[in-house]
Amino acid sequence: MALIPFDDRDGVIWWDGKCVPWRDAKLHVLTHGLHYASAVFEGERAYDGHIFKLRAHTDRLIRSGKILGFDIPWTAEQIDDACKQVLIANNLTDAYVRPIAWRGTEQLAVSAQQTKIHLAIATWPWPNLFGADRMAGVRLGHATWRRPHPQTAPTASKAAGLYMIGTLSKHDAEAQGFNDALMLSWDGRVTEATGANIFFAFDGKLHTPVPDCFLDGITRRTVMALARARQIEVVERVIMPEELAAADEVFLAGTAAEVTPVRAIGEQVYAPGQMTATLLGDYEALVRMSPEEVARRAA
Ligand code: PMP
């Protein structure tokens, strides 16, 4: 499939309060966010015209900025409205939504206290991250890079800089013929894939690693609630790589990945089973419910 570069598309992008033509949404090269990764972003999905768990994403965006030491100069209500506005302005109902906040050009040095904080929101059609046949699943390689200790990097933030490790790991995995990489923590525990959380079925229970050095994803929390609604026991615990061979099922969960079965981790092969199929179906149904219904079920 031919790639269409992201600056060669049409539509509008919300930028600091107004919608600008897509092709005009350009930055100066001496932007702090580019040089020092002082940027935080979100990845959201709209289904049937509604952005799933929009406020949770907006809250995380604001929190991510605070962790990086800046306040986004818009309220959560204004950011929610802007996300909805950009979706409508681009005439999309089923799409990916990407807000990003970054430090501007006023200073270009490690210290950047005087930089202005900017916010842009783009949206584009993006079917499932791993292709249309969801049950076909993905194969994960073992990442050589590890998730850093939470005192080494702001791991609770969806900070642009942290994706350096993800891109390196994903490129390594792809070079070896895998779809994505399973990342370990700095001290060797199982953590997540490069852009999604991971779940395992062990003896009829749903297990997932404790998110102490990676994102406690919105999809992760949604899947845990869906499992509990099905009376499936959810176990958050330390999971070591030696245990992977004993897992009955494995799947990924993330906004872009949605619920995606894992067919292999390195040499170890898995067959997606009933628990994965059930939670995948429940997630697909939930994302298409009205925001009021989603909120009601979460209560
Ligand atoms: N981990 C990483 C590294 C991610 O990029 C994402 C996607 N934001 C997730 C986990 C899953 O988070 P969410 O379910 O909130 O999209």
Side-chain angles (χ1 to χ4, degrees), residues 198-254:
I198 194 160
F199 285 88
F200 302 90
F202 286 106
D203 299 327
K205 296 178 189 163
L206 187 63
H207 294 234
T208 196
V210 182
D212 58 358
C213 62
F214 57 94
L215 285 184
D216 179 3
I218 292 162
T219 318
R220 175 184 184 278
R221 298 180 73 85
T222 302
V223 164
M224 289 164 67
L226 290 171
R228 290 186 181 116
R230 289 262 183 196
Q231 272 75 49
I232 297 170
E233 193 177 324
V234 179
V235 186
E236 276 184 282
R237 64 174 181 90
V238 168
I239 299 176
M240 299 306 289
E242 304 79 71
E243 301 178 55
L244 296 179
D248 301 315
E249 299 177 41
V250 187
F251 65 86
L252 301 180

Short mmCIF file of all heavy atoms in Angstrom, two decimals, residues 198-254:
data_model
loop_
_atom_site.label_atom_id
_atom_site.label_comp_id
_atom_site.label_asym_id
_atom_site.label_seq_id
_atom_site.Cartn_x
_atom_site.Cartn_y
_atom_site.Cartn_z
N ILE A 198 -0.64 -5.52 27.66
CA ILE A 198 -0.72 -6.95 27.35
C ILE A 198 -1.49 -7.69 28.45
O ILE A 198 -1.40 -7.32 29.64
CB ILE A 198 0.69 -7.55 27.12
CG1 ILE A 198 0.60 -8.94 26.48
CG2 ILE A 198 1.53 -7.57 28.40
CD1 ILE A 198 1.89 -9.38 25.80
N PHE A 199 -2.23 -8.71 28.03
CA PHE A 199 -3.00 -9.56 28.94
C PHE A 199 -2.71 -11.02 28.64
O PHE A 199 -2.44 -11.39 27.50
CB PHE A 199 -4.51 -9.32 28.75
CG PHE A 199 -5.00 -8.02 29.33
CD1 PHE A 199 -4.98 -6.86 28.58
CD2 PHE A 199 -5.49 -7.97 30.62
CE1 PHE A 199 -5.43 -5.66 29.12
CE2 PHE A 199 -5.95 -6.78 31.17
CZ PHE A 199 -5.92 -5.62 30.41
N PHE A 200 -2.85 -11.85 29.69
CA PHE A 200 -2.64 -13.29 29.57
C PHE A 200 -3.79 -14.03 30.25
O PHE A 200 -4.28 -13.58 31.30
CB PHE A 200 -1.35 -13.72 30.30
CG PHE A 200 -0.12 -13.01 29.79
CD1 PHE A 200 0.29 -11.81 30.36
CD2 PHE A 200 0.62 -13.54 28.74
CE1 PHE A 200 1.41 -11.14 29.89
CE2 PHE A 200 1.74 -12.88 28.26
CZ PHE A 200 2.14 -11.67 28.83
N ALA A 201 -4.20 -15.13 29.64
CA ALA A 201 -5.14 -16.02 30.34
C ALA A 201 -4.32 -17.17 30.93
O ALA A 201 -3.55 -17.83 30.21
CB ALA A 201 -6.18 -16.57 29.36
N PHE A 202 -4.44 -17.32 32.25
CA PHE A 202 -3.83 -18.45 32.95
C PHE A 202 -4.96 -19.13 33.72
O PHE A 202 -5.59 -18.49 34.58
CB PHE A 202 -2.79 -18.00 33.98
CG PHE A 202 -1.48 -17.50 33.43
CD1 PHE A 202 -1.18 -16.14 33.42
CD2 PHE A 202 -0.50 -18.39 32.95
CE1 PHE A 202 0.05 -15.67 32.96
CE2 PHE A 202 0.72 -17.93 32.49
CZ PHE A 202 1.00 -16.57 32.49
N ASP A 203 -5.24 -20.38 33.42
CA ASP A 203 -6.25 -21.15 34.17
C ASP A 203 -7.57 -20.41 34.33
O ASP A 203 -8.13 -20.34 35.43
CB ASP A 203 -5.70 -21.50 35.57
CG ASP A 203 -4.45 -22.36 35.46
OD1 ASP A 203 -4.37 -23.16 34.50
OD2 ASP A 203 -3.56 -22.21 36.32
N GLY A 204 -8.05 -19.81 33.26
CA GLY A 204 -9.37 -19.18 33.29
C GLY A 204 -9.42 -17.80 33.92
O GLY A 204 -10.48 -17.20 34.00
N LYS A 205 -8.26 -17.30 34.39
CA LYS A 205 -8.22 -15.96 34.96
C LYS A 205 -7.44 -15.04 34.02
O LYS A 205 -6.58 -15.50 33.27
CB LYS A 205 -7.55 -15.97 36.33
CG LYS A 205 -8.31 -16.78 37.35
CD LYS A 205 -7.57 -16.80 38.68
CE LYS A 205 -8.24 -17.79 39.63
NZ LYS A 205 -7.37 -18.16 40.75
N LEU A 206 -7.74 -13.75 34.14
CA LEU A 206 -7.08 -12.76 33.28
C LEU A 206 -5.94 -12.10 34.07
O LEU A 206 -6.19 -11.48 35.11
CB LEU A 206 -8.10 -11.70 32.84
CG LEU A 206 -7.62 -10.69 31.81
CD1 LEU A 206 -7.25 -11.36 30.50
CD2 LEU A 206 -8.70 -9.63 31.58
N HIS A 207 -4.73 -12.24 33.57
CA HIS A 207 -3.57 -11.68 34.27
C HIS A 207 -2.95 -10.55 33.44
O HIS A 207 -2.89 -10.64 32.22
CB HIS A 207 -2.49 -12.76 34.48
CG HIS A 207 -2.92 -13.85 35.42
ND1 HIS A 207 -2.18 -14.20 36.52
CD2 HIS A 207 -4.02 -14.65 35.42
CE1 HIS A 207 -2.80 -15.19 37.17
NE2 HIS A 207 -3.92 -15.48 36.51
N THR A 208 -2.48 -9.53 34.13
CA THR A 208 -1.83 -8.42 33.43
C THR A 208 -0.80 -7.80 34.36
O THR A 208 -0.98 -7.78 35.58
CB THR A 208 -2.89 -7.39 32.93
OG1 THR A 208 -2.30 -6.55 31.96
CG2 THR A 208 -3.47 -6.56 34.06
N PRO A 209 0.31 -7.31 33.79
CA PRO A 209 1.37 -6.77 34.67
C PRO A 209 0.94 -5.48 35.38
O PRO A 209 0.08 -4.75 34.91
CB PRO A 209 2.51 -6.47 33.69
CG PRO A 209 2.20 -7.20 32.43
CD PRO A 209 0.71 -7.34 32.38
N VAL A 210 1.56 -5.24 36.52
CA VAL A 210 1.33 -4.02 37.30
C VAL A 210 1.96 -2.85 36.54
O VAL A 210 3.14 -2.89 36.22
CB VAL A 210 2.00 -4.15 38.70
CG1 VAL A 210 1.73 -2.91 39.55
CG2 VAL A 210 1.55 -5.42 39.40
N PRO A 211 1.16 -1.80 36.24
CA PRO A 211 1.69 -0.71 35.40
C PRO A 211 2.52 0.30 36.18
O PRO A 211 2.11 1.44 36.36
CB PRO A 211 0.42 -0.08 34.83
CG PRO A 211 -0.60 -0.30 35.89
CD PRO A 211 -0.25 -1.59 36.59
N ASP A 212 3.68 -0.12 36.64
CA ASP A 212 4.50 0.78 37.46
C ASP A 212 5.61 1.47 36.68
O ASP A 212 6.28 2.34 37.22
CB ASP A 212 5.07 0.03 38.67
CG ASP A 212 5.92 -1.16 38.25
OD1 ASP A 212 6.02 -1.43 37.03
OD2 ASP A 212 6.47 -1.84 39.14
N CYS A 213 5.80 1.11 35.41
CA CYS A 213 6.80 1.83 34.60
C CYS A 213 6.31 1.96 33.16
O CYS A 213 7.10 2.10 32.24
CB CYS A 213 8.16 1.14 34.67
SG CYS A 213 8.17 -0.54 34.00
N PHE A 214 5.00 1.88 32.98
CA PHE A 214 4.40 2.05 31.66
C PHE A 214 2.96 2.52 31.86
O PHE A 214 2.46 2.52 32.99
CB PHE A 214 4.46 0.75 30.84
CG PHE A 214 3.81 -0.44 31.51
CD1 PHE A 214 2.50 -0.77 31.25
CD2 PHE A 214 4.54 -1.23 32.42
CE1 PHE A 214 1.90 -1.86 31.87
CE2 PHE A 214 3.93 -2.33 33.04
CZ PHE A 214 2.61 -2.64 32.77
N LEU A 215 2.30 2.90 30.76
CA LEU A 215 0.96 3.46 30.86
C LEU A 215 -0.06 2.45 31.38
O LEU A 215 -0.10 1.32 30.92
CB LEU A 215 0.46 3.94 29.50
CG LEU A 215 1.02 5.22 28.90
CD1 LEU A 215 0.30 5.51 27.58
CD2 LEU A 215 0.87 6.40 29.85
N ASP A 216 -0.87 2.92 32.32
CA ASP A 216 -2.05 2.17 32.77
C ASP A 216 -3.14 2.54 31.77
O ASP A 216 -3.93 3.45 32.00
CB ASP A 216 -2.38 2.62 34.19
CG ASP A 216 -3.60 1.92 34.75
OD1 ASP A 216 -4.17 1.05 34.05
OD2 ASP A 216 -4.01 2.27 35.87
N GLY A 217 -3.15 1.88 30.63
CA GLY A 217 -3.96 2.31 29.49
C GLY A 217 -5.45 2.37 29.77
O GLY A 217 -5.99 1.64 30.61
N ILE A 218 -6.10 3.24 29.04
CA ILE A 218 -7.55 3.40 29.16
C ILE A 218 -8.24 2.14 28.65
O ILE A 218 -9.22 1.67 29.23
CB ILE A 218 -7.98 4.68 28.41
CG1 ILE A 218 -7.42 5.91 29.16
CG2 ILE A 218 -9.50 4.75 28.24
CD1 ILE A 218 -7.39 7.19 28.36
N THR A 219 -7.70 1.55 27.60
CA THR A 219 -8.26 0.29 27.09
C THR A 219 -8.01 -0.83 28.09
O THR A 219 -8.87 -1.69 28.31
CB THR A 219 -7.61 -0.07 25.73
OG1 THR A 219 -7.51 1.10 24.94
CG2 THR A 219 -8.41 -1.13 24.99
N ARG A 220 -6.84 -0.83 28.70
CA ARG A 220 -6.49 -1.82 29.73
C ARG A 220 -7.54 -1.82 30.83
O ARG A 220 -8.09 -2.86 31.21
CB ARG A 220 -5.10 -1.49 30.30
CG ARG A 220 -4.64 -2.35 31.46
CD ARG A 220 -3.29 -1.81 31.97
NE ARG A 220 -2.75 -2.65 33.03
CZ ARG A 220 -3.11 -2.58 34.30
NH1 ARG A 220 -3.99 -1.68 34.70
NH2 ARG A 220 -2.57 -3.39 35.21
N ARG A 221 -7.85 -0.64 31.33
CA ARG A 221 -8.82 -0.54 32.42
C ARG A 221 -10.21 -0.94 31.94
O ARG A 221 -10.98 -1.55 32.69
CB ARG A 221 -8.82 0.89 32.98
CG ARG A 221 -7.46 1.26 33.55
CD ARG A 221 -7.45 2.66 34.11
NE ARG A 221 -8.19 2.71 35.35
CZ ARG A 221 -7.67 2.42 36.55
NH1 ARG A 221 -6.40 2.10 36.64
NH2 ARG A 221 -8.40 2.47 37.62
N THR A 222 -10.51 -0.60 30.69
CA THR A 222 -11.81 -0.97 30.12
C THR A 222 -11.94 -2.49 30.03
O THR A 222 -12.97 -3.07 30.41
CB THR A 222 -11.96 -0.33 28.72
OG1 THR A 222 -11.82 1.09 28.84
CG2 THR A 222 -13.30 -0.66 28.09
N VAL A 223 -10.88 -3.13 29.54
CA VAL A 223 -10.90 -4.60 29.38
C VAL A 223 -11.02 -5.28 30.76
O VAL A 223 -11.75 -6.27 30.91
CB VAL A 223 -9.63 -5.06 28.62
CG1 VAL A 223 -9.41 -6.56 28.78
CG2 VAL A 223 -9.74 -4.70 27.15
N MET A 224 -10.34 -4.73 31.75
CA MET A 224 -10.43 -5.31 33.10
C MET A 224 -11.87 -5.23 33.62
O MET A 224 -12.38 -6.20 34.22
CB MET A 224 -9.46 -4.59 34.05
CG MET A 224 -8.01 -4.93 33.74
SD MET A 224 -6.80 -3.81 34.49
CE MET A 224 -7.04 -4.18 36.20
N ALA A 225 -12.54 -4.09 33.35
CA ALA A 225 -13.94 -3.94 33.78
C ALA A 225 -14.84 -4.90 33.01
O ALA A 225 -15.76 -5.50 33.59
CB ALA A 225 -14.39 -2.50 33.58
N LEU A 226 -14.58 -5.06 31.71
CA LEU A 226 -15.39 -6.00 30.91
C LEU A 226 -15.22 -7.42 31.42
O LEU A 226 -16.19 -8.19 31.48
CB LEU A 226 -14.99 -5.91 29.42
CG LEU A 226 -15.39 -4.62 28.69
CD1 LEU A 226 -14.74 -4.57 27.30
CD2 LEU A 226 -16.91 -4.51 28.58
N ALA A 227 -14.00 -7.78 31.78
CA ALA A 227 -13.75 -9.13 32.30
C ALA A 227 -14.51 -9.34 33.60
O ALA A 227 -15.18 -10.36 33.79
CB ALA A 227 -12.25 -9.33 32.51
N ARG A 228 -14.43 -8.35 34.49
CA ARG A 228 -15.13 -8.48 35.79
C ARG A 228 -16.64 -8.60 35.58
O ARG A 228 -17.31 -9.35 36.29
CB ARG A 228 -14.79 -7.30 36.69
CG ARG A 228 -13.34 -7.36 37.17
CD ARG A 228 -13.02 -6.27 38.19
NE ARG A 228 -11.63 -6.35 38.57
CZ ARG A 228 -10.73 -5.39 38.34
NH1 ARG A 228 -11.08 -4.27 37.73
NH2 ARG A 228 -9.47 -5.55 38.72
N ALA A 229 -17.16 -7.87 34.59
CA ALA A 229 -18.60 -7.94 34.29
C ALA A 229 -18.98 -9.35 33.83
O ALA A 229 -20.14 -9.74 33.93
CB ALA A 229 -18.97 -6.91 33.24
N ARG A 230 -18.00 -10.08 33.33
CA ARG A 230 -18.23 -11.47 32.90
C ARG A 230 -17.85 -12.48 33.99
O ARG A 230 -17.67 -13.68 33.72
CB ARG A 230 -17.36 -11.77 31.68
CG ARG A 230 -17.82 -11.09 30.42
CD ARG A 230 -18.64 -12.02 29.60
NE ARG A 230 -19.05 -11.41 28.36
CZ ARG A 230 -20.03 -11.91 27.62
NH1 ARG A 230 -20.64 -13.01 27.98
NH2 ARG A 230 -20.36 -11.33 26.51
N GLN A 231 -17.61 -11.96 35.19
CA GLN A 231 -17.19 -12.82 36.33
C GLN A 231 -15.85 -13.51 36.06
O GLN A 231 -15.57 -14.58 36.57
CB GLN A 231 -18.25 -13.87 36.68
CG GLN A 231 -19.29 -13.38 37.68
CD GLN A 231 -20.29 -12.44 37.06
OE1 GLN A 231 -20.84 -12.73 36.01
NE2 GLN A 231 -20.52 -11.30 37.69
N ILE A 232 -15.03 -12.88 35.21
CA ILE A 232 -13.68 -13.42 35.02
C ILE A 232 -12.79 -12.72 36.06
O ILE A 232 -12.81 -11.48 36.16
CB ILE A 232 -13.14 -13.10 33.59
CG1 ILE A 232 -14.01 -13.79 32.53
CG2 ILE A 232 -11.67 -13.50 33.45
CD1 ILE A 232 -13.73 -13.36 31.10
N GLU A 233 -12.04 -13.49 36.80
CA GLU A 233 -11.17 -12.88 37.82
C GLU A 233 -9.98 -12.19 37.15
O GLU A 233 -9.38 -12.74 36.21
CB GLU A 233 -10.67 -13.97 38.77
CG GLU A 233 -10.04 -13.40 40.02
CD GLU A 233 -9.61 -14.48 41.01
OE1 GLU A 233 -10.32 -15.51 41.13
OE2 GLU A 233 -8.57 -14.28 41.66
N VAL A 234 -9.69 -10.97 37.61
CA VAL A 234 -8.58 -10.20 37.03
C VAL A 234 -7.45 -10.14 38.05
O VAL A 234 -7.67 -9.79 39.21
CB VAL A 234 -9.05 -8.76 36.68
CG1 VAL A 234 -7.89 -7.96 36.10
CG2 VAL A 234 -10.22 -8.80 35.70
N VAL A 235 -6.26 -10.49 37.61
CA VAL A 235 -5.10 -10.53 38.51
C VAL A 235 -4.02 -9.60 37.97
O VAL A 235 -3.45 -9.85 36.92
CB VAL A 235 -4.53 -11.97 38.62
CG1 VAL A 235 -3.44 -12.03 39.68
CG2 VAL A 235 -5.64 -12.98 38.91
N GLU A 236 -3.77 -8.49 38.71
CA GLU A 236 -2.67 -7.60 38.35
C GLU A 236 -1.48 -8.02 39.19
O GLU A 236 -1.56 -7.99 40.42
CB GLU A 236 -3.02 -6.16 38.73
CG GLU A 236 -3.83 -5.42 37.73
CD GLU A 236 -4.03 -3.97 38.17
OE1 GLU A 236 -4.89 -3.75 39.04
OE2 GLU A 236 -3.34 -3.08 37.66
N ARG A 237 -0.41 -8.39 38.54
CA ARG A 237 0.72 -8.90 39.32
C ARG A 237 2.01 -8.80 38.51
O ARG A 237 1.98 -8.48 37.32
CB ARG A 237 0.46 -10.36 39.70
CG ARG A 237 0.38 -11.30 38.49
CD ARG A 237 0.27 -12.76 38.93
NE ARG A 237 0.21 -13.68 37.81
CZ ARG A 237 1.28 -14.23 37.24
NH1 ARG A 237 2.50 -13.96 37.66
NH2 ARG A 237 1.13 -15.08 36.22
N VAL A 238 3.11 -9.08 39.17
CA VAL A 238 4.40 -9.16 38.49
C VAL A 238 4.38 -10.43 37.63
O VAL A 238 4.03 -11.50 38.13
CB VAL A 238 5.55 -9.24 39.53
CG1 VAL A 238 6.86 -9.62 38.87
CG2 VAL A 238 5.67 -7.91 40.27
N ILE A 239 4.68 -10.28 36.36
CA ILE A 239 4.73 -11.44 35.46
C ILE A 239 6.15 -11.53 34.89
O ILE A 239 6.67 -10.55 34.35
CB ILE A 239 3.68 -11.32 34.33
CG1 ILE A 239 2.26 -11.25 34.93
CG2 ILE A 239 3.80 -12.48 33.33
CD1 ILE A 239 1.14 -11.04 33.93
N MET A 240 6.75 -12.69 35.05
CA MET A 240 8.13 -12.88 34.59
C MET A 240 8.13 -13.59 33.22
O MET A 240 7.23 -14.38 32.93
CB MET A 240 8.93 -13.70 35.61
CG MET A 240 9.03 -13.05 36.98
SD MET A 240 9.68 -11.34 36.94
CE MET A 240 11.40 -11.67 36.51
N PRO A 241 9.14 -13.32 32.39
CA PRO A 241 9.18 -13.93 31.05
C PRO A 241 9.17 -15.46 31.09
O PRO A 241 8.61 -16.09 30.18
CB PRO A 241 10.47 -13.40 30.43
CG PRO A 241 11.05 -12.42 31.38
CD PRO A 241 10.23 -12.36 32.62
N GLU A 242 9.70 -16.07 32.16
CA GLU A 242 9.72 -17.54 32.25
C GLU A 242 8.32 -18.12 32.29
O GLU A 242 8.12 -19.30 32.02
CB GLU A 242 10.45 -18.01 33.53
CG GLU A 242 11.87 -17.52 33.70
CD GLU A 242 11.96 -16.09 34.21
OE1 GLU A 242 11.65 -15.83 35.38
OE2 GLU A 242 12.34 -15.21 33.39
N GLU A 243 7.34 -17.31 32.67
CA GLU A 243 5.96 -17.80 32.80
C GLU A 243 5.22 -17.83 31.48
O GLU A 243 4.12 -18.40 31.40
CB GLU A 243 5.17 -16.89 33.74
CG GLU A 243 5.72 -16.76 35.13
CD GLU A 243 4.85 -15.80 35.92
OE1 GLU A 243 3.64 -16.02 36.02
OE2 GLU A 243 5.39 -14.81 36.44
N LEU A 244 5.76 -17.18 30.46
CA LEU A 244 4.99 -16.98 29.23
C LEU A 244 4.57 -18.29 28.58
O LEU A 244 3.49 -18.40 28.00
CB LEU A 244 5.78 -16.13 28.23
CG LEU A 244 6.09 -14.70 28.67
CD1 LEU A 244 6.88 -13.97 27.60
CD2 LEU A 244 4.80 -13.95 28.97
N ALA A 245 5.43 -19.30 28.69
CA ALA A 245 5.15 -20.59 28.04
C ALA A 245 3.87 -21.22 28.58
O ALA A 245 3.20 -21.97 27.88
CB ALA A 245 6.33 -21.53 28.24
N ALA A 246 3.51 -20.89 29.83
CA ALA A 246 2.34 -21.53 30.45
C ALA A 246 1.03 -20.80 30.17
O ALA A 246 -0.03 -21.27 30.55
CB ALA A 246 2.57 -21.60 31.97
N ALA A 247 1.09 -19.65 29.50
CA ALA A 247 -0.14 -18.89 29.24
C ALA A 247 -1.02 -19.63 28.24
O ALA A 247 -0.53 -20.22 27.28
CB ALA A 247 0.19 -17.50 28.73
N ASP A 248 -2.34 -19.60 28.48
CA ASP A 248 -3.28 -20.25 27.56
C ASP A 248 -3.64 -19.34 26.39
O ASP A 248 -3.89 -19.80 25.28
CB ASP A 248 -4.56 -20.63 28.31
CG ASP A 248 -4.26 -21.58 29.47
OD1 ASP A 248 -3.49 -22.53 29.24
OD2 ASP A 248 -4.77 -21.35 30.58
N GLU A 249 -3.74 -18.03 26.68
CA GLU A 249 -4.07 -17.06 25.64
C GLU A 249 -3.31 -15.77 25.96
O GLU A 249 -3.01 -15.50 27.12
CB GLU A 249 -5.57 -16.71 25.65
CG GLU A 249 -6.49 -17.89 25.40
CD GLU A 249 -7.96 -17.48 25.51
OE1 GLU A 249 -8.33 -16.39 25.02
OE2 GLU A 249 -8.73 -18.26 26.10
N VAL A 250 -3.06 -14.99 24.91
CA VAL A 250 -2.40 -13.69 25.09
C VAL A 250 -3.08 -12.70 24.15
O VAL A 250 -3.40 -13.05 23.01
CB VAL A 250 -0.89 -13.77 24.72
CG1 VAL A 250 -0.19 -12.45 25.07
CG2 VAL A 250 -0.20 -14.94 25.40
N PHE A 251 -3.31 -11.48 24.64
CA PHE A 251 -3.80 -10.44 23.73
C PHE A 251 -3.30 -9.07 24.14
O PHE A 251 -2.87 -8.86 25.27
CB PHE A 251 -5.33 -10.48 23.59
CG PHE A 251 -6.11 -10.15 24.84
CD1 PHE A 251 -6.40 -8.83 25.18
CD2 PHE A 251 -6.57 -11.17 25.68
CE1 PHE A 251 -7.14 -8.53 26.32
CE2 PHE A 251 -7.31 -10.88 26.82
CZ PHE A 251 -7.59 -9.55 27.14
N LEU A 252 -3.35 -8.15 23.18
CA LEU A 252 -2.96 -6.76 23.42
C LEU A 252 -4.22 -5.92 23.56
O LEU A 252 -5.27 -6.25 23.00
CB LEU A 252 -2.15 -6.21 22.25
CG LEU A 252 -0.85 -6.94 21.91
CD1 LEU A 252 -0.17 -6.24 20.72
CD2 LEU A 252 0.09 -6.97 23.11
N ALA A 253 -4.11 -4.81 24.28
CA ALA A 253 -5.23 -3.88 24.42
C ALA A 253 -4.70 -2.45 24.39
O ALA A 253 -3.81 -2.09 25.16
CB ALA A 253 -5.97 -4.13 25.74
N GLY A 254 -5.24 -1.66 23.48
CA GLY A 254 -4.86 -0.26 23.37
C GLY A 254 -5.83 0.45 22.44
O GLY A 254 -6.56 -0.22 21.70
#
